[in-house]
Amino acid sequence: AFTLLGMGRNFSMGNSFAEIPLFWREFFAKGHDETVGGMYGVSVGTDNDDSSFRYYIADPCAADAPVPKGFEKVSIPALTWVILEGQGKMPEAVQKLNRYLYGEWLPTNGMYAYGAPYSVEVYPCGDMDSDEYRFEIWQSVRTMKR
């Protein structure tokens, strides 16, 4: 389990690839990175049909950390994660890895199924416009019954 401090916004699955990059640009343009640097992009499901979710631009924080105006604290429970590593320019590379994760890996891996509605994009420091930029996606999973 871990706690994050971030700024969140709701998205639908249908518009997320177009609108989340705009959210990141707006976040930095408004100087919010002075409070939260954006180490994580976190998706938390908001309904039972998986058509919408809340996405946070976030950093780790202490559970008792103060919450500045416009930000939220997000508690991520202890879960089992599959971690996929990606490489390339943002946002294209993370979108490509997400399509692979949900369109190919989860449906065909044979051991794990979609778990709790949590997904974490991990963005280390580096040049996100480089073909060599490395990042991760953590998706919560559960063991499939045999």
Side-chain angles (χ1 to χ4, degrees):
F2 54 101
T3 303
L4 302 171
L5 176 66
M7 182 170 283
R9 186 174 289 171
N10 292 337
F11 294 93
S12 72
M13 289 297 194
N15 69 13
S16 61
F17 277 14
E19 291 188 6
I20 288 175
L22 298 176
F23 180 38
W24 279 92
R25 277 187 229 123
E26 177 186 316
F27 181 87
F28 286 109
K30 291 185 175 182
H32 296 305
D33 57 318
E34 294 294 321
T35 303
V36 167
M39 181 178 185
Y40 297 121
V42 180
S43 300
V44 180
T46 58
D47 62 23
N48 292 330
D49 67 6
D50 294 329
S51 66
S52 67
F53 60 96
R54 189 148 181 88
Y55 183 89
Y56 297 90
I57 299 172
D59 283 346
C61 74
D64 61 350
V67 180
K69 184 178 181 180
F71 289 84
E72 303 170 44
K73 227 183 265 184
V74 183
S75 296
I76 307 296
L79 297 165
T80 300
W81 303 94
V82 62
I83 299 174
L84 278 72
E85 296 179 350
Q87 181 176 324
K89 294 178 186 179
M90 293 297 123
E92 297 85 1
V94 73
Q95 292 176 352
K96 180 180 177 184
L97 189 56
N98 268 305
R99 281 191 294 274
Y100 169 74
L101 171 62
Y102 296 108
E104 294 181 44
W105 192 88
L106 274 169
T108 64
N109 75 81
M111 284 186 61
Y112 298 102
Y114 182 82
Y118 294 94
S119 177
V120 178
E121 302 159 1
V122 181
Y123 296 114
C125 291
D127 181 2
M128 295 175 112
D129 290 323
S130 167
D131 289 332
E132 304 304 314
Y133 181 73
R134 300 187 66 81
F135 62 95
E136 296 176 343
I137 296 177
W138 304 357
Q139 173 58 56
S140 66
V141 294
R142 61 180 169 76
T143 304
M144 291 174 47
K145 295 180 181 175
R146 298 208 174 222

